[in-house]
Amino acid sequence: MSPAVTPRHARHSAGLMRSMYLPRTADALAFAMCTYGIPLLVLATTRSAALTGAAFALEWIPRLAAFGWAGSIVDRRGAAVVFHLASLGRALVLAAGAALLHFYPSGTAASATVLVLAATTGVLTEFSYIAAETAGAAAGRQAGKRAHRVQAALLGIDQTATLAGPALAGVLLLAGAPTMLAVITVLSLLAAMLALRTPPSPVAPAGAQRGRSGAGLLTGWRTICSLPALGWLVTGLTLSNLATGLLQAAGPVIVVQHFGQSTTAVGLVWSAAAGATLLSVTICWFALDRLGLWPVGAACAALASLACLAAAQAPDYWSYLVLVAVLMAADGGMTVVLRTLRSRLIPPEKFGSTLSATILVLLLPFPVAGALTALTPPDALGHVITVCAGLQALGLLYAFARLRADPALCA
């Protein structure tokens, strides 16, 4: 069969690996190595815990502030263009940082370099992430009823990168900061080149582009409010993220002080959680084919609520590890449902702005969880986690009860 008569969906499916999965893999690995490797780099360069914390803030505060701009620009210029330029910009910044650290490995110049790297890579990575997610949603829409498979594959790529990225960054840092930055530079360049193959996403009409760069989050929020199914799911997951974020923030205190384990045991908890999430995504791939969005989402919500309530009362370290892994696996299943739903419901020309608003709302509970951890005495953390787990259960129960007969989830 010639290309001229090959069905469009067949050509799309055959090209997903080159046009979507490969660029997403390169970008996700660079994302994970920047997110976890830059703070390690700051600590290795400055030997200062205070500057390491400052670098973490510099990495995330501009990233959160960039959400509105990122979504608006993706809507106006298209996902492929923004994906390419953001990845290319990150590569140039990292290459410059590697050169500076090669000539000035310590001192004030090195400290300034790594702090600037934290801020700039955070912003550029956010742009590439929003663009990649928008392109993934466009691929999901073209996949039709198999959209959940595309989203499950993309989430699996992200989780694999989260597993491999921090470990790879730590190993490369042993060979020197320039070496680590050089490898992330190569990955960013690879993502930039592969992004040119990304299918074009719909852009906003020319008349709608004016004056929208500062109103991206407002546009996204209005779109969420106009889509009840998406709004209820985001509400339930936001309450769920408060409990999940509290477990993440309080994890070192619980594992080290309460259970008497080492700091390495803290990392083992989240490595097990990432592995369980990968398994969960694979299971959801097949379950969604047979059962649909609502049954799978409701089952994951119930499992996450029960696991979080039990984790707050875990009697020992190993039961705590298993319960956290179950919680994160269930959360991974709900994330597949969310990604599939938003690719179905959000208008393509407003997807970037709405995605930015959605992610920002879902991330807001994490700094709240950090503040709760800081203000709560260690002996009382279990009670606070129990309260948050109760809010999670009520929020998810109410959200999925409202979504029970919604055509978007029952189709």
PDB file of all heavy atoms in Angstrom, residues 269-285:
ATOM      1  N   VAL A 269      12.390   3.551  49.736  1.00  0.00           N
ATOM      2  CA  VAL A 269      10.928   3.680  49.736  1.00  0.00           C
ATOM      3  C   VAL A 269      10.444   4.219  48.394  1.00  0.00           C
ATOM      4  O   VAL A 269       9.529   3.669  47.762  1.00  0.00           O
ATOM      5  CB  VAL A 269      10.471   4.595  50.885  1.00  0.00           C
ATOM      6  CG1 VAL A 269       8.981   4.926  50.742  1.00  0.00           C
ATOM      7  CG2 VAL A 269      10.721   3.933  52.230  1.00  0.00           C
ATOM      8  N   TRP A 270      11.091   5.299  47.930  1.00  0.00           N
ATOM      9  CA  TRP A 270      10.602   5.933  46.705  1.00  0.00           C
ATOM     10  C   TRP A 270      11.053   5.198  45.457  1.00  0.00           C
ATOM     11  O   TRP A 270      10.391   5.291  44.415  1.00  0.00           O
ATOM     12  CB  TRP A 270      11.025   7.406  46.693  1.00  0.00           C
ATOM     13  CG  TRP A 270      10.407   8.111  47.860  1.00  0.00           C
ATOM     14  CD1 TRP A 270      11.026   8.573  48.980  1.00  0.00           C
ATOM     15  CD2 TRP A 270       9.006   8.345  48.052  1.00  0.00           C
ATOM     16  NE1 TRP A 270      10.107   9.098  49.849  1.00  0.00           N
ATOM     17  CE2 TRP A 270       8.856   8.973  49.314  1.00  0.00           C
ATOM     18  CE3 TRP A 270       7.869   8.096  47.294  1.00  0.00           C
ATOM     19  CZ2 TRP A 270       7.619   9.356  49.822  1.00  0.00           C
ATOM     20  CZ3 TRP A 270       6.637   8.471  47.797  1.00  0.00           C
ATOM     21  CH2 TRP A 270       6.525   9.093  49.041  1.00  0.00           C
ATOM     22  N   SER A 271      12.137   4.449  45.526  1.00  0.00           N
ATOM     23  CA  SER A 271      12.488   3.580  44.398  1.00  0.00           C
ATOM     24  C   SER A 271      11.454   2.466  44.247  1.00  0.00           C
ATOM     25  O   SER A 271      11.023   2.141  43.128  1.00  0.00           O
ATOM     26  CB  SER A 271      13.877   2.973  44.618  1.00  0.00           C
ATOM     27  OG  SER A 271      14.875   3.962  44.599  1.00  0.00           O
ATOM     28  N   ALA A 272      11.031   1.886  45.389  1.00  0.00           N
ATOM     29  CA  ALA A 272       9.978   0.868  45.346  1.00  0.00           C
ATOM     30  C   ALA A 272       8.677   1.460  44.834  1.00  0.00           C
ATOM     31  O   ALA A 272       7.938   0.817  44.062  1.00  0.00           O
ATOM     32  CB  ALA A 272       9.779   0.275  46.747  1.00  0.00           C
ATOM     33  N   ALA A 273       8.387   2.697  45.238  1.00  0.00           N
ATOM     34  CA  ALA A 273       7.162   3.354  44.775  1.00  0.00           C
ATOM     35  C   ALA A 273       7.196   3.585  43.268  1.00  0.00           C
ATOM     36  O   ALA A 273       6.191   3.373  42.571  1.00  0.00           O
ATOM     37  CB  ALA A 273       6.983   4.674  45.516  1.00  0.00           C
ATOM     38  N   ALA A 274       8.361   4.019  42.744  1.00  0.00           N
ATOM     39  CA  ALA A 274       8.469   4.242  41.304  1.00  0.00           C
ATOM     40  C   ALA A 274       8.326   2.933  40.531  1.00  0.00           C
ATOM     41  O   ALA A 274       7.670   2.878  39.479  1.00  0.00           O
ATOM     42  CB  ALA A 274       9.811   4.909  40.982  1.00  0.00           C
ATOM     43  N   GLY A 275       8.930   1.855  41.045  1.00  0.00           N
ATOM     44  CA  GLY A 275       8.780   0.553  40.398  1.00  0.00           C
ATOM     45  C   GLY A 275       7.343   0.070  40.407  1.00  0.00           C
ATOM     46  O   GLY A 275       6.841  -0.469  39.409  1.00  0.00           O
ATOM     47  N   ALA A 276       6.644   0.271  41.546  1.00  0.00           N
ATOM     48  CA  ALA A 276       5.239  -0.124  41.633  1.00  0.00           C
ATOM     49  C   ALA A 276       4.378   0.693  40.678  1.00  0.00           C
ATOM     50  O   ALA A 276       3.412   0.180  40.096  1.00  0.00           O
ATOM     51  CB  ALA A 276       4.742   0.045  43.074  1.00  0.00           C
ATOM     52  N   THR A 277       4.727   1.965  40.501  1.00  0.00           N
ATOM     53  CA  THR A 277       3.968   2.813  39.579  1.00  0.00           C
ATOM     54  C   THR A 277       4.123   2.332  38.148  1.00  0.00           C
ATOM     55  O   THR A 277       3.156   2.321  37.368  1.00  0.00           O
ATOM     56  CB  THR A 277       4.427   4.272  39.705  1.00  0.00           C
ATOM     57  OG1 THR A 277       4.266   4.704  41.059  1.00  0.00           O
ATOM     58  CG2 THR A 277       3.612   5.181  38.796  1.00  0.00           C
ATOM     59  N   LEU A 278       5.342   1.935  37.780  1.00  0.00           N
ATOM     60  CA  LEU A 278       5.540   1.391  36.433  1.00  0.00           C
ATOM     61  C   LEU A 278       4.680   0.148  36.206  1.00  0.00           C
ATOM     62  O   LEU A 278       4.058  -0.016  35.149  1.00  0.00           O
ATOM     63  CB  LEU A 278       7.016   1.031  36.237  1.00  0.00           C
ATOM     64  CG  LEU A 278       7.960   2.163  35.839  1.00  0.00           C
ATOM     65  CD1 LEU A 278       9.395   1.665  35.825  1.00  0.00           C
ATOM     66  CD2 LEU A 278       7.573   2.710  34.473  1.00  0.00           C
ATOM     67  N   LEU A 279       4.635  -0.736  37.202  1.00  0.00           N
ATOM     68  CA  LEU A 279       3.797  -1.930  37.095  1.00  0.00           C
ATOM     69  C   LEU A 279       2.333  -1.550  37.002  1.00  0.00           C
ATOM     70  O   LEU A 279       1.568  -2.122  36.204  1.00  0.00           O
ATOM     71  CB  LEU A 279       4.040  -2.834  38.308  1.00  0.00           C
ATOM     72  CG  LEU A 279       3.222  -4.122  38.377  1.00  0.00           C
ATOM     73  CD1 LEU A 279       3.512  -5.015  37.176  1.00  0.00           C
ATOM     74  CD2 LEU A 279       3.508  -4.857  39.684  1.00  0.00           C
ATOM     75  N   SER A 280       1.918  -0.559  37.792  1.00  0.00           N
ATOM     76  CA  SER A 280       0.528  -0.112  37.775  1.00  0.00           C
ATOM     77  C   SER A 280       0.129   0.443  36.415  1.00  0.00           C
ATOM     78  O   SER A 280      -0.965   0.168  35.912  1.00  0.00           O
ATOM     79  CB  SER A 280       0.327   0.956  38.859  1.00  0.00           C
ATOM     80  OG  SER A 280      -0.911   1.615  38.704  1.00  0.00           O
ATOM     81  N   VAL A 281       1.029   1.223  35.811  1.00  0.00           N
ATOM     82  CA  VAL A 281       0.733   1.794  34.492  1.00  0.00           C
ATOM     83  C   VAL A 281       0.534   0.690  33.463  1.00  0.00           C
ATOM     84  O   VAL A 281      -0.364   0.758  32.602  1.00  0.00           O
ATOM     85  CB  VAL A 281       1.865   2.752  34.072  1.00  0.00           C
ATOM     86  CG1 VAL A 281       1.738   3.147  32.608  1.00  0.00           C
ATOM     87  CG2 VAL A 281       1.860   3.990  34.956  1.00  0.00           C
ATOM     88  N   THR A 282       1.360  -0.349  33.533  1.00  0.00           N
ATOM     89  CA  THR A 282       1.213  -1.475  32.601  1.00  0.00           C
ATOM     90  C   THR A 282      -0.122  -2.182  32.799  1.00  0.00           C
ATOM     91  O   THR A 282      -0.813  -2.532  31.825  1.00  0.00           O
ATOM     92  CB  THR A 282       2.363  -2.474  32.806  1.00  0.00           C
ATOM     93  OG1 THR A 282       3.614  -1.800  32.655  1.00  0.00           O
ATOM     94  CG2 THR A 282       2.275  -3.608  31.798  1.00  0.00           C
ATOM     95  N   ILE A 283      -0.512  -2.405  34.048  1.00  0.00           N
ATOM     96  CA  ILE A 283      -1.797  -3.056  34.335  1.00  0.00           C
ATOM     97  C   ILE A 283      -2.948  -2.196  33.834  1.00  0.00           C
ATOM     98  O   ILE A 283      -3.915  -2.699  33.233  1.00  0.00           O
ATOM     99  CB  ILE A 283      -1.922  -3.338  35.838  1.00  0.00           C
ATOM    100  CG1 ILE A 283      -0.878  -4.379  36.270  1.00  0.00           C
ATOM    101  CG2 ILE A 283      -3.324  -3.820  36.187  1.00  0.00           C
ATOM    102  CD1 ILE A 283      -0.816  -4.583  37.766  1.00  0.00           C
ATOM    103  N   CYS A 284      -2.858  -0.872  34.081  1.00  0.00           N
ATOM    104  CA  CYS A 284      -3.930   0.027  33.646  1.00  0.00           C
ATOM    105  C   CYS A 284      -4.064   0.040  32.132  1.00  0.00           C
ATOM    106  O   CYS A 284      -5.164   0.229  31.596  1.00  0.00           O
ATOM    107  CB  CYS A 284      -3.660   1.440  34.168  1.00  0.00           C
ATOM    108  SG  CYS A 284      -3.974   1.637  35.931  1.00  0.00           S
ATOM    109  N   TRP A 285      -2.946  -0.130  31.441  1.00  0.00           N
ATOM    110  CA  TRP A 285      -2.975  -0.192  29.974  1.00  0.00           C
ATOM    111  C   TRP A 285      -4.014  -1.213  29.515  1.00  0.00           C
ATOM    112  O   TRP A 285      -4.824  -0.946  28.629  1.00  0.00           O
ATOM    113  CB  TRP A 285      -1.577  -0.561  29.498  1.00  0.00           C
ATOM    114  CG  TRP A 285      -1.406  -0.771  28.007  1.00  0.00           C
ATOM    115  CD1 TRP A 285      -2.045  -1.673  27.212  1.00  0.00           C
ATOM    116  CD2 TRP A 285      -0.524  -0.050  27.150  1.00  0.00           C
ATOM    117  NE1 TRP A 285      -1.604  -1.587  25.924  1.00  0.00           N
ATOM    118  CE2 TRP A 285      -0.669  -0.599  25.854  1.00  0.00           C
ATOM    119  CE3 TRP A 285       0.400   0.965  27.352  1.00  0.00           C
ATOM    120  CZ2 TRP A 285       0.067  -0.132  24.768  1.00  0.00           C
ATOM    121  CZ3 TRP A 285       1.128   1.420  26.268  1.00  0.00           C
ATOM    122  CH2 TRP A 285       0.958   0.886  24.996  1.00  0.00           C
TER     123      TRP A 285
END
